[in-house]
Amino acid sequence: SCRRGIEEFWKGAYMDPTVGAKQKHLNAVTGDPWPAALLRLKSFEDLHKLWYVCLKEKNLLMTERNYFQQHNVPWKQYGRTKKIKLTMKRILTVLTRREIHQQILKAQEIAEKQNVREELETRRFHLEEGIKQLEHKVERMGNAESVMKSAWRATLAKYRTDHDELMGELKDLRKDTMQYLVPDWRYERKYSDLPGLITFRRQWVRALQEKSRRPIRTY
């Protein structure tokens, strides 16, 4: 297979010496940009491929524009550049909204697991308190044997078994709900749909301003 290198910046364009003038004019004819409704039906792999196709076309147009500007020749392909940029912008919008939707679903799943974890943590606390009380009662009885002491030991063994099973269930839940305690970069940006860090001052956000600025009257 042939290796594609720097010739891709002018292959099929007006600067390509191997293409005739008629074919160059036909290559310059393009349709409408990709609508967002069709982009939403594409998978991530298809959008990834389409993004690099648009990026390649954009680089070709930028090379062609630079060539025309150097030779003081008017360039008439601004419409194609606008269509390419609009398609790339829509691809980013679709991917961003898809990521937001996945984050919402993930947050709902984590919230459900957190509710289950709270119930199990409450049961664990009561079991540990019951184990401590029974151990204290058995220790106070000393070496004396009685029916009550045997019942306490049986209950204590049952509590410990239930506690071990409960800790096994809590191990995975604690790992899955750790994002409630450790901040994740996907959930730190509060004033934008895009993921990532953001640093701002309170005065920069109008809703968080502590004091409203009033005009100073000099009369």
Side-chain angles (χ1 to χ4, degrees), residues 23-184:
Q23 186 63 33
K24 291 179 181 179
H25 287 294
L26 292 177
N27 294 340
V29 178
T30 57
D32 297 330
W34 276 79
L38 294 180
L39 292 175
R40 295 191 191 100
L41 303 177
K42 300 292 183 180
S43 63
F44 177 80
E45 289 76 13
D46 294 338
L47 292 177
H48 188 75
K49 295 176 183 178
L50 182 58
W51 170 268
Y52 277 99
V53 169
C54 294
L55 183 62
K56 173 184 170 183
E57 184 71 15
K58 180 182 176 182
N59 290 335
L60 185 144
L61 293 175
M62 295 296 101
T63 305
E64 186 177 296
R65 186 185 66 177
N66 189 22
Y67 177 81
F68 275 62
Q69 289 177 352
Q70 289 179 353
H71 294 78
N72 295 325
V73 179
W75 189 60
K76 301 180 181 180
Q77 303 298 328
Y78 290 100
R80 292 176 62 186
T81 307
K82 185 176 180 180
K83 293 176 184 178
I84 291 295
K85 290 182 178 180
L86 186 57
T87 300
M88 297 176 74
K89 182 179 179 180
R90 288 173 179 173
I91 291 174
L92 284 179
T93 303
V94 170
L95 290 176
T96 302
R97 292 186 177 275
R98 191 175 295 178
E99 177 67 19
I100 293 171
H101 182 66
Q102 292 177 358
Q103 291 179 16
I104 292 174
L105 294 178
K106 186 177 180 181
Q108 292 176 353
E109 182 182 357
I110 293 176
E112 294 176 358
K113 290 183 179 180
Q114 179 66 18
N115 294 332
V116 177
R117 178 187 173 184
E118 290 177 358
E119 296 178 1
L120 296 180
E121 291 286 1
T122 304
R123 287 175 52 191
R124 177 192 61 80
F125 174 77
H126 290 303
L127 283 175
E128 291 178 353
E129 290 295 321
I131 290 173
K132 291 179 181 179
Q133 292 177 3
L134 289 176
E135 287 178 348
H136 179 66
K137 290 180 180 180
V138 172
E139 185 179 356
R140 287 185 60 185
M141 292 288 293
N143 297 327
E145 296 292 337
S146 63
V147 177
M148 184 176 295
K149 186 176 182 181
S150 300
W152 286 344
R153 285 177 177 174
T155 306
L156 184 60
K158 183 178 182 302
Y159 279 5
R160 287 173 176 170
T161 304
D162 295 342
H163 184 268
D164 293 339
E165 294 178 356
L166 201 60
M167 292 301 295
E169 297 178 8
L170 282 172
K171 183 178 180 180
D172 295 333
L173 286 175
R174 287 175 176 175
K175 184 178 179 180
D176 295 338
T177 57
M178 189 60 66
Q179 293 186 6
Y180 274 115
L181 302 177
V182 181
D184 191 7

